Amino acid sequence: KVFNLGAGTSFKTFDIAEMLQKRCELVHGFKPDIVVKSIDTSGPSLNYRIAALEKHGIMIDPDLTLEIDKLLRFCAYQFGTH
């Protein structure tokens, strides 16, 4: 079987950028700028079902904080800002 992994929640790109910005400030002590021409919030949210994952006992935590922190630490290590 093939599954699309997810926690049943979708995020807009700008929302992810804001999460990264906030976590970067807490983890690394600086707040990077988010530069955009405009923010379009008119689009629909993606709503997808995760019943197939749950049926197989696969539960994914929708809190991205830990994964974002790990990504920021990885980038700091790889690009020498640690």
Side-chain angles (χ1 to χ4, degrees):
K1 288 198 172 229
V2 175
F3 295 104
N4 287 323
L5 292 181
T9 304
S10 65
F11 298 96
K12 295 189 181 327
T13 304
F14 187 76
D15 295 337
I16 296 291
E18 285 184 317
M19 286 183 222
L20 284 162
Q21 181 187 54
K22 289 175 186 173
R23 295 309 303 169
C24 189
E25 185 173 23
L26 290 169
V27 172
H28 293 294
F30 73 95
K31 185 176 179 179
D33 292 332
I34 299 174
V35 180
V36 296
K37 291 183 181 180
S38 66
I39 300 170
D40 181 8
T41 59
S42 64
S45 294
L46 175 64
N47 184 9
Y48 60 97
R49 293 175 282 156
I50 58 170
L53 290 171
E54 292 170 341
K55 179 180 171 183
H56 287 84
I58 301 169
M59 303 300 289
I60 298 175
D61 186 355
D63 182 6
L64 300 178
T65 304
L66 177 61
E67 292 303 320
I68 289 173
D69 290 356
K70 288 177 9 181
L71 175 64
L72 290 170
R73 287 186 180 104
F74 171 81
C75 290
Y77 179 78
Q78 291 297 316
F79 301 109
T81 59
H82 57 296

